Amino acid sequence: LSESSSAETSAEEAEPSEEKKQEGDVSGEAKSYFVKLDSSGKEIAKVDLAQFAPEDTQGMEEGFNLYGMVWTEKYGILCPSENGIQTFDEKNGPQMLIEKKKICGDDGWINNLSKLSENELLITYYAGDGESGEVNAILDLDKKEVGKKLEGFGKYGNYQFFTGSDGSLYASDDSGIYKYDMNGGKLNKLADFRDSNIGTGGYMWLETVALSDTEFIVNIPGPDMCTST
């Protein structure tokens, strides 16, 4: 979870001197934290993510954040990074589980993770050759390798994936919501945004939960892309 630092500051901290500015003082800037809550909402752990920021070749911090997180009982929190798939916890911080080169090569990048089961994730990546386009495949966490590549998706569909309570796989793009047929390797459209008069007519990043094949909870961006319904 991320939050802005809101603690009161002294006059010196609020208006850092030129010397502090030159030394790279960043007091007052927004900070990112990893926060763990129990089932009642009580905070049980809080870690400043800045301590895990790597340094570039000039010795400058590049920043560190968590995104695209999924959870499994065996591996805990999993999330993509520039270098591969990593685990994270408040005691050990980020730990590399599968290096990027084993998934998409040194020049590729990992775009998204979705949990399919306790030892399988759906991973979306680009190989980096500029020709393969978007690849959606099954990632075996125990074997630490990419397995079956899923068919039926557009080359540059930029899909967002989510699962239903029964484990069914769903996807959305800028035109609608689909249910994916694992056995047949195809997308079956369940909702068309234009026909349903949903959204702005352009690309939408949807946050979606499937209750069933006919009922979804969807966070839809408003006309100005800054509000949602």
Side-chain angles (χ1 to χ4, degrees):
L1 297 177
S2 298
E3 66 179 39
S4 296
S5 177
S6 58
E8 293 184 4
T9 58
S10 67
E12 182 181 4
E13 290 172 326
E15 296 183 9
S17 65
E18 287 300 319
E19 181 179 357
K20 282 191 174 184
K21 289 180 181 178
Q22 292 174 2
E23 292 175 352
D25 179 70
V26 294
S27 60
E29 290 187 0
K31 292 185 177 181
S32 294
Y33 297 91
F34 171 81
V35 179
K36 181 183 286 188
L37 310 175
D38 65 16
S39 58
S40 68
K42 180 181 177 181
E43 182 181 300
I44 56 177
K46 182 176 181 178
V47 180
D48 187 347
L49 295 179
Q51 64 184 291
F52 305 117
E55 293 184 352
D56 61 19
T57 54
Q58 282 74 44
M60 300 295 291
E61 288 188 357
E62 296 181 333
F64 178 83
N65 213 332
L66 296 172
Y67 61 95
M69 295 184 292
V70 297
W71 166 267
T72 68
E73 289 290 340
K74 182 176 181 178
Y75 296 97
I77 292 175
L78 295 158
C79 57
S81 73
E82 292 184 1
N83 300 311
I85 305 298
Q86 62 187 11
T87 62
F88 186 91
D89 62 59
E90 67 272 21
K91 294 181 179 180
N92 301 306
Q95 302 289 322
M96 189 58 60
L97 180 67
I98 308 174
E99 293 183 346
K100 181 179 71 172
K101 62 183 180 181
K102 293 187 64 176
I103 299 171
C104 54
D106 291 328
D107 297 327
W109 68 93
I110 300 167
N111 191 48
N112 189 43
L113 298 177
S114 299
K115 180 180 176 180
L116 297 177
S117 66
E118 282 299 311
N119 67 323
E120 288 187 333
L121 302 180
L122 170 61
I123 183 170
T124 300
Y125 65 88
Y126 295 83
D129 56 12
E131 298 179 359
S132 301
E134 178 179 306
V135 178
N136 299 296
I138 305 298
L139 180 67
D140 189 310
L141 295 173
D142 293 338
K143 295 180 179 179
K144 297 179 173 53
E145 63 183 23
V146 175
K148 178 183 178 182
K149 295 181 179 180
L150 304 186
E151 301 177 347
F153 295 97
K155 192 174 182 179
Y156 301 105
N158 204 12
Y159 298 94
Q160 303 303 312
F161 295 96
F162 51 100
T163 55
S165 58
D166 62 351
S168 296
L169 179 63
Y170 297 88
S172 67
D173 61 8
D174 58 1
S175 67
I177 296 176
Y178 310 83
K179 184 176 183 180
Y180 186 70
D181 181 349
M182 281 284 192
N183 295 323
K186 61 181 181 179
L187 290 169
N188 298 308
K189 182 173 278 190
L190 301 177
D192 186 281
F193 293 148
R194 178 170 295 183
D195 291 347
S196 304
N197 197 28
I198 295 175
T200 60
Y203 176 72
M204 295 187 297
W205 182 283
L206 299 179
E207 296 177 353
T208 310
V209 175
L211 302 180
S212 69
D213 287 0
T214 59
E215 190 174 10
F216 300 86
I217 298 175
V218 185
N219 184 8
I220 302 172
D224 60 0
M225 302 302 288
C226 295
T227 59
S228 59
T229 57

